[in-house]
């Protein structure tokens, strides 16, 4: 048995933790800021309910964190209830937050002082992928540490890829999500224009999805969420705004001109400000529709 702690039972964290709780080779402890969520998860899954990050860390060989931003992970390290108060030398922290490379490098350095390993390991595949255990996991850090963590990560991840040093997973995840954002926004602009020109969205998507302009947005998100007007809340627009901003920052840091990434970051910041903290990422389409004076249908 491997003793694992999972911290951050949000939209994607909760189903990831459920996969770990169901794995026969794992003994799980969970912590969540809103304690009631951890209590209900623990009573449903049989996991131990830890009342502080330090309590979760005690006895854990592998700790997994999944918070909105890297700064949330960093803020849980210190203090009498913080992770560092409970974590043992030789343990390993796998951060599944879609984080930023600079903060991940700082966290890795703090943990290294205590003999604790660190991997940035953001995931892709959405809440459904988490439920099914088919997430893609992109990992930055020491490859030998990844091999140690792999049997644990495999409980929720199907494609687990070592990408480079600490921060490489974060950078790749941010660029992936920037591409998602570009596809959502550009598909919305195109379909709104086509609808105004008299081409129905289902006809347009039928053609695009058999042609070279297709993407996950055109193949899944628009048919399932926009045309149905369902707009389920699975991945917050605020988080995609954060991701595109990180991608634009990576390009800036590397002195790569990236006007499209920066424009997309600005558009998603505008959408986030207009639609609020709880809106789903696909709801950005509603802003395009508003600007166009045209519903995509
Ligand atoms: P949510 O907003 O649903 O959940 C966030 C979790 O973090 C909650 O458990 C929340 O606790 C906790 N939290 C927030 N702020 C703090 C803080 N300052 N201190 C301690 N705990 C905090 O986010 P998601 O689960 O959707 O996303 C988590 C990460 O995974 C993000 O980086 C996101 O970009 C990434 N991701 C999400 C995907 C998705 O489909 N949802 C897909 C791929 C990646 P509380 O319950 O108290 O609010």
């Amino acid at each position: 048995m491997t003793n694992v702690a999972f911290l951050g039972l949000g939209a994607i964290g909760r189903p990831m933790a459920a996969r770990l709780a169901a794995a026969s080779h794992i003994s799980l402890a969970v912590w969540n800021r809103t304690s009631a969520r951890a209590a209900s998860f623990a009573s449903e899954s049989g996991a131990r309910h830890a009342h502080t990050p330090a309590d979760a860390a005690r006895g854990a060989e592998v700790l997994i964190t999944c918070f909105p931003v890297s700064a949330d992970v960093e803020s849980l390290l210190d203090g009498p209830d913080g992770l560092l108060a409970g974590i043992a030398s030789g343990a390993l922290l796998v951060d599944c937050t879609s984080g930023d490379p600079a903060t991940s490098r700082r966290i890795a350095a703090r943990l290294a002082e205590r003999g604790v390993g660190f991997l940035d390991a953001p995931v892709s595949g959405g809440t459904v992928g988490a439920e099914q255990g088919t997430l893609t996991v992109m990992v930055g850090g020491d490859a030998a540490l990844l091999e140690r963590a792999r049997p644990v990560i495999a409980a929720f991840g199907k494609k687990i890829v070592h990408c480079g040093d600490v921060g490489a997973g974060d950078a790749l995840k941010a660029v992936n999500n920037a591409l998602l954002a570009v596809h959502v926004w550009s598909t919305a602009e195109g379909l709104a224009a086509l609808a105004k020109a008299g081409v129905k969205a289902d006809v347009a998507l039928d053609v695009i999805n058999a042609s070279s302009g297709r993407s996950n947005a055109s193949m899944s998100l628009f048919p399932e969420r926009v045309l149905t007007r369902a707009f389920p809340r699975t991945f917050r627009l605020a988080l995609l705004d954060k991701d595109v901003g990180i991608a634009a920052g990576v390009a800036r840091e590397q002195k790569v001109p990236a006007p499209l990434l920066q424009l997309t970051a600005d558009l998603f910041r505008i959408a986030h400000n207009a639609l609020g903290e709880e809106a789903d990422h696909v709801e950005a389409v509603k802003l395009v529709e508003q600007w166009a004076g045209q519903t995509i249908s």
Side-chain angles (χ1 to χ4, degrees), residues 11 23 32 34 88 118 154 166 170-171 174 186-187 195 199 209 211 221 227 241 261 272 280 293:
N32 193 64
T34 303
F118 176 86
V166 170
D170 289 336
S186 56
T187 305
V199 182
N209 287 337
S211 305
L221 299 178
L227 269 57
D241 169 20
L261 290 186
H272 172 189
D280 185 71

Side-chain angles (χ1 to χ4, degrees), residues 76-281:
L76 292 180
L77 294 179
D78 295 306
D81 291 336
L83 276 171
L84 291 176
I87 205 162
S89 171
L92 170 60
L93 175 61
V94 178
D95 183 21
C96 291
T97 305
S98 299
D100 70 273
T103 310
S104 284
R105 286 192 286 267
R106 253 193 339 260
I107 294 169
R110 295 272 330 266
L111 293 175
E113 290 166 6
R114 303 288 191 102
V116 174
F118 176 86
L119 298 169
D120 50 304
V123 301
S124 182
T127 52
V128 172
E131 280 158 22
Q132 297 175 346
T134 57
L135 292 173
T136 297
V137 188
M138 44 212 106
V139 183
D142 184 339
L145 287 181
L146 169 57
E147 290 321 307
R148 244 177 70 198
R150 194 181 283 274
V152 173
I153 297 174
F156 52 79
K158 189 169 171 202
K159 188 174 175 73
I160 303 165
V161 182
H162 184 247
C163 305
D165 295 339
V166 170
D170 289 336
L172 179 44
K173 171 67 186 177
V175 169
N176 175 78
N177 277 24
L179 298 179
L180 161 69
V182 168
H183 292 151
V184 167
W185 198 278
S186 56
T187 305
E189 287 183 356
L191 291 181
L194 284 170
K196 272 197 149 169
V199 182
K200 286 193 169 310
D202 58 343
V203 173
L205 285 172
D206 188 31
V207 171
I208 289 166
N209 287 337
S211 305
S212 49
R214 69 181 178 273
S215 64
N216 183 60
S218 70
M219 295 180 78
S220 299
L221 299 178
F222 278 76
E224 293 165 12
R225 299 177 176 217
V226 178
L227 269 57
T228 58
R229 309 310 286 178
F231 292 107
R233 291 187 162 176
T234 62
F235 174 46
R236 293 189 297 121
L237 174 59
L239 295 173
L240 187 54
D241 169 20
K242 171 258 310 180
D243 291 333
V244 191
I246 293 171
V250 168
R252 236 184 347 265
E253 207 176 287
Q254 299 304 325
K255 302 192 169 33
V256 172
L260 185 55
L261 290 186
Q262 188 53 56
L263 174 62
T264 309
D266 290 343
L267 289 169
F268 276 80
R269 176 57 51 86
I270 292 167
H272 172 189
N273 288 345
L275 297 166
E277 290 307 310
E278 297 309 318
D280 185 71
H281 66 303

